[in-house]
């Protein structure tokens, strides 16, 4: 029963306050707390960045709540990967939270066993070749078999905390370029890594490396029930 109540609060209360997935006009003022987690402050941030019609409000809302909760972040940068969108659309967004602007918008690949054009199945297991949802902190870079790559530290036990063991990193890939969309009607897929177009990999990685937050979102109610970062429903009220 408690899990049902938690799921209801997380999944439906925010939507009852906003029309068609975007904030209503009556909630555009900021707050004085210095964080963005409150609905009013988050809605004002969403508008000030000009994200209406471009970025999924619910995904952005959850990402910002998590960003504010993760105290050991070292950068004022937030990356949102929205797997509710198809692979053929831009669904990776990098935000400068201090300057209040979007720095990058790009396509991004999902794991080969997570789905075709849409990622619908997720796993934390080694050898699953699936993407993992949830919150990550970026770490250091290295030169590997996929070129310039970024180590990701999964923060949520049972959801993505095996990312390092699975070698889930951000890197560039030819198959992640929009030009690679073929007869299958989808972007190429990875072994679970969020792969980006090669021409954008270094600029994106250099912007987000060294302790910034990444949130990988999908319309998966089960994630909200088990998330250690978004477990406090009051943060979404």
């Amino acid at each position: 029963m408690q899990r049902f109540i938690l799921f209801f609060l997380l999944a439906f209360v925010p939507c009852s306050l906003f029309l068609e997935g975007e904030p209503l006009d009556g909630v555009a003022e900021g707050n004085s707390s210095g964080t963005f987690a409150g609905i009013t402050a988050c809605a004002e941030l969403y508008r000030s960045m000009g994200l209406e019609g471009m970025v999924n409000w619910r995904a952005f809302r959850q990402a910002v709540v998590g960003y504010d909760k993760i105290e050991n972040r070292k950068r004022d940068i937030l990356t949102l990967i929205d797997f509710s969108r198809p692979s053929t659309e831009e669904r990776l967004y990098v935000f400068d939270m201090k300057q209040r602007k979007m720095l990058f918008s790009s396509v991004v690949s999902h794991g080969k066993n997570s789905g075709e054009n849409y990622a619908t199945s997720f796993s934390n297991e080694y050898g699953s070749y699936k993407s993992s949802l949830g919150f990550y902190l970026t770490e250091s870079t290295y030169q590997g078999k996929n070129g310039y790559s970024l180590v990701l530290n999964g923060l949520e036990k049972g959801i993505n905390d095996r990312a390092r063991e699975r070698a889930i990193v951000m890197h560039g890939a030819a198959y992640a370029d929009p030009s690679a969309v073929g007869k299958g009607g989808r972007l190429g897929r990875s072994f679970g890594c969020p792969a980006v177009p090669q021409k954008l990999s270094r600029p994106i990685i250099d912007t987000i490396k060294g302790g910034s937050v990444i949130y990988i979102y999908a319309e998966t109610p089960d994630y909200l029930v088990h998330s250690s970062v978004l477990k406090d429903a009051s943060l979404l009220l």
Side-chain angles (χ1 to χ4, degrees):
M1 183 64 180
Q2 290 179 333
R3 284 189 172 184
F4 173 79
I5 294 172
L6 175 61
F7 166 71
F8 177 84
L9 289 171
L10 286 167
F12 295 103
V13 169
C15 285
S16 70
L17 299 173
F18 301 96
L19 180 64
E20 294 182 353
E22 295 184 0
L24 291 173
D25 289 336
V27 289
E29 299 176 354
N31 66 15
S32 59
S33 67
T35 68
F36 303 108
I39 284 178
T40 301
C42 189
E44 189 277 330
L45 178 67
Y46 185 80
R47 283 207 187 86
S48 69
M49 289 184 175
L51 305 182
E52 295 98 330
M54 182 183 305
V55 176
N56 180 328
W57 159 252
R58 182 179 290 189
F60 181 78
R61 171 79 174 126
Q62 292 179 12
V64 171
V65 168
Y67 170 87
D68 270 338
K69 287 194 67 178
I70 298 169
E71 297 179 352
N72 56 336
R73 56 183 164 83
K74 300 177 182 178
R75 306 282 307 279
D76 295 321
I77 300 293
L78 170 63
T79 302
L80 168 63
I81 296 175
D82 180 6
F83 279 154
S84 70
R85 294 182 180 271
S87 68
T88 50
E89 295 182 5
E90 293 182 350
R91 55 182 183 170
L92 178 149
Y93 314 96
V94 179
F95 307 106
D96 185 323
M97 302 296 280
K98 188 174 183 179
Q99 298 298 321
R100 293 175 168 242
K101 62 182 181 180
M102 184 163 66
L103 304 177
F104 295 98
S105 177
S106 173
V107 297
V108 60
S109 292
H110 55 255
K112 62 183 293 186
N113 288 338
S114 281
E116 293 293 328
N117 195 23
Y118 285 88
T120 57
S121 181
F122 307 94
S123 177
N124 192 38
E125 295 302 313
Y126 183 86
S128 67
Y129 299 145
K130 294 183 179 183
S131 299
S132 299
L133 300 177
F135 288 91
Y136 299 75
L137 277 175
T138 64
E139 296 192 352
S140 59
T141 61
Y142 69 96
Q143 197 72 26
K145 64 180 182 179
N146 291 305
Y148 193 54
S149 303
L150 176 64
V151 177
L152 305 180
N153 179 24
L155 303 180
E156 303 198 71
K157 186 174 182 180
I159 295 175
N160 62 21
D161 62 322
R162 299 182 71 182
R164 292 175 66 96
E165 174 187 344
R166 297 176 59 207
I168 301 301
V169 301
M170 181 175 287
H171 62 81
Y175 60 74
D177 191 274
S179 63
V181 176
K183 294 181 179 179
R186 59 166 173 77
L187 207 63
R189 298 170 297 175
S190 68
F191 285 168
C193 298
V196 296
Q198 290 174 319
K199 65 181 179 181
L200 289 177
S201 60
R202 184 171 288 271
I204 290 176
I205 288 172
D206 282 343
T207 299
I208 71 176
K209 67 183 180 182
S212 74
V213 174
I214 294 179
Y215 178 50
I216 300 182
Y217 168 87
E219 294 175 348
T220 307
D222 188 60
Y223 164 73
L224 290 179
V225 172
H226 295 98
S227 172
S228 60
V229 177
L230 298 180
K231 65 182 178 181
D232 188 347
S234 66
L235 290 173
L236 294 178
L237 298 180

